[in-house]
Amino acid sequence: ESPVPFLIGMNWGILTTISGSISSFLSKGNKIISIILGSILMLIIDFFIEPVAPTLDFWEFKNSIVPFSNYTGWLITGLFTQFLYQFLFKEKELTFSINLYFAIFVFFLFLNLKL
């Protein structure tokens, strides 16, 4: 059995946490704005993950084109996970979240430039 589902779940948890912490700070605690902004931050990372995912053997897309439905699915799922994060977790850590978000962003940015 492939470990991909577990790793994808871990990825979602990490992205939800760091995006939610950043968005909570930027929205000054406004939960609705934070949920929307956190979901957008997650979607931004996905724009850089999806083009290199087939090359990294994560998954494949028909005709090697990322369907629009993939991004809408990420946004909807992000809204749900951000809702849970913003209402279930009171303590948020900004510095680590910014650093990890930036590291993930730069990692996939450079992969896109290289591939």
Side-chain angles (χ1 to χ4, degrees):
E1 189 72 21
S2 171
V4 172
F6 176 75
L7 292 176
I8 290 174
M10 292 294 295
N11 180 57
W12 269 96
I14 291 167
L15 287 177
T16 297
T17 301
I18 63 177
S19 297
S21 293
I22 295 167
S23 67
S24 183
F25 173 77
L26 293 175
S27 70
K28 300 190 184 335
N30 181 312
K31 290 194 186 318
I32 300 301
I33 293 172
S34 187
I35 290 166
I36 294 168
L37 184 56
S39 301
I40 291 169
L41 287 170
M42 292 176 72
L43 187 59
I44 289 169
I45 292 289
D46 187 51
F47 279 120
F48 291 92
I49 293 174
E50 298 303 351
V52 298
T55 306
L56 299 172
D57 267 345
F58 286 174
W59 46 80
E60 296 291 323
F61 297 108
K62 185 177 180 181
N63 300 323
S64 297
I65 298 171
V66 181
F68 183 73
S69 61
N70 180 76
Y71 297 115
T72 56
W74 259 77
L75 183 60
I76 291 166
T77 305
L79 288 166
F80 176 73
T81 61
Q82 286 299 318
F83 176 86
L84 292 175
Y85 182 73
Q86 294 303 329
F87 284 96
L88 295 177
F89 294 89
K90 303 291 184 223
E91 298 294 321
K92 299 178 175 76
E93 204 290 320
L94 182 63
T95 304
F96 177 78
S97 296
I98 289 172
N99 288 326
L100 186 54
Y101 186 91
F102 183 71
I104 293 168
F105 178 84
V106 169
F107 175 77
F108 283 103
L109 172 67
F110 279 108
L111 278 179
N112 275 279
L113 295 175
K114 183 178 181 206
L115 303 175

